[in-house]
């Protein structure tokens, strides 16, 4: 145990650099996936057949492509098409696109859970589709989707480790580099696991809070 603590003191400063990049990748891709997911969801429930089918097709395609393949395509293939992204940009874009499909289904479920009578009442007093969504449906849907949204945040935090496959020096890659140079696999990867857990616990507690609030309604 004493050896582990000595290793921890030595390796933590390096691993903290990886934590910073992990947070950047997670937050960036979370914002992007939220925006895209909401767009896909609104297209699905728009009532316009073309938009609904286009959204459904995009979601199915995105869900059918492994995240690692999407990352490889953005980082290694896009330069052949004249679009060069940094590893960090490709990671945020890839994870954001991948998770937008899950966000879309989450948002769609929340929107469709709203009583149709409220939508009809809003339209009866002259509200258009977008105004009804903005003032009546979305504020209520947000409360419904918060618990699963929190779970998506946790999944995204853990999947940010896949950014290491395209050389983003986040926590997982920093750990791998240290382990390969020191051969202290147990100490390094125990630290990496504890650091991921430390970042996940606040999110887990937040999800539990949202679930309790939703259960009281």
């Amino acid at each position: 145990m004493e050896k582990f603590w000595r290793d921890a003191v030595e390796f933590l400063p390096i691993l903290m650099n990886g934590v910073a990049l992990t947070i950047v990748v997670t937050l960036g891709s979370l914002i992007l996936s939220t925006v895209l997911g909401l767009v896909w969801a609104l297209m699905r429930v728009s009532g316009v057949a073309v938009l609904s089918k286009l959204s459904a097709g995009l979601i199915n395609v995105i869900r059918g492509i492994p995240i690692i393949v999407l990352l490889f395509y953005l980082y290694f293939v896009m330069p052949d098409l004249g679009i060069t992204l940094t590893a960090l940009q490709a990671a945020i874009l890839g994870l954001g696109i991948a998770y937008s499909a899950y966000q879309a289904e989450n948002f769609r479920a929340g929107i469709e859970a709203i009583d149709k009578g409220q939508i009809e009442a809003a339209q009866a007093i002259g509200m258009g589709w977008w105004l009804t969504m903005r003032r009546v449906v979305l504020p209520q849907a947000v409360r419904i989707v918060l618990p699963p949204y929190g779970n998506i945040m946790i999944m995204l935090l853990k999947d940010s480790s896949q950014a290491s496959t395209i050389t983003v020096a986040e926590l997982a890659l920093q750990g791998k580099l240290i382990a390969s140079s020191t051969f202290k696999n147990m100490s390094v990867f125990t630290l990496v696991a504890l650091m991921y857990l430390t970042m996940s616990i606040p999110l887990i507690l937040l999800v539990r809070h949202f679930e309790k609030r939703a259960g009281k309604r």
Side-chain angles (χ1 to χ4, degrees):
M1 195 65 178
E2 184 179 343
K3 180 177 177 294
F4 172 77
W5 290 118
R6 286 201 305 269
D7 291 339
V9 171
E10 180 182 355
F11 301 144
L12 270 176
I14 303 172
L15 291 175
M16 286 304 297
N17 292 330
V19 168
L21 266 178
T22 293
I23 293 173
V24 169
V25 170
T26 301
L27 287 179
S29 52
L30 179 65
I31 293 169
L32 180 59
S33 67
T34 300
V35 173
L36 289 178
L38 186 58
V39 171
W40 307 150
L42 290 175
M43 289 170 65
R44 282 293 295 275
V45 301
S46 65
V48 179
V50 174
L51 293 179
S52 182
K53 290 179 180 179
L54 177 61
S55 174
L58 283 170
I59 291 170
N60 287 332
V61 168
I62 292 170
R63 290 170 69 179
I65 300 175
I67 293 176
I68 192 170
V69 174
L70 188 55
L71 292 176
F72 284 167
Y73 196 91
L74 289 170
Y75 190 59
F76 296 116
V77 178
M78 294 301 285
D80 294 339
L81 304 176
I83 302 174
T84 302
L85 301 172
T86 65
L88 181 60
Q89 290 170 339
I92 292 174
L93 186 58
L95 286 165
I97 292 173
Y99 269 85
S100 70
Y102 303 106
Q103 297 275 32
E105 292 300 283
N106 182 31
F107 292 144
R108 182 175 67 88
I111 291 170
E112 292 181 343
I114 305 303
D115 184 10
K116 295 294 187 292
Q118 295 188 41
I119 299 174
E120 292 171 358
Q123 292 174 340
I125 61 173
M127 285 189 180
W129 182 87
W130 173 243
L131 191 59
T132 300
M133 280 290 162
R134 185 161 60 89
R135 292 191 175 179
V136 178
V137 177
L138 291 180
Q140 298 180 76
V142 165
R143 291 195 293 269
I144 296 171
V145 305
L146 277 178
Y149 185 83
N151 287 322
I152 289 174
M153 289 171 59
I154 296 169
M155 292 166 57
L156 189 48
L157 171 64
K158 293 186 292 184
D159 274 346
S160 66
S161 61
Q162 296 206 41
S164 64
T165 60
I166 55 171
T167 72
V168 177
E170 45 67 71
L171 180 56
L173 182 56
Q174 291 284 16
K176 183 179 178 182
L177 292 174
I178 295 172
S180 63
S181 62
T182 64
F183 302 103
K184 296 181 178 180
N185 295 314
M186 179 176 291
S187 295
V188 172
F189 290 116
T190 299
L191 280 171
V192 169
L194 289 173
M195 294 175 85
Y196 272 114
L197 187 60
T198 301
M199 290 187 286
S200 297
I201 285 175
L203 298 179
I204 293 170
L205 294 176
L206 188 63
V207 170
R208 186 175 300 173
H209 171 70
F210 287 146
E211 287 175 344
K212 286 181 179 178
R213 287 192 61 183
K216 292 178 181 179
R217 295 182 183 278

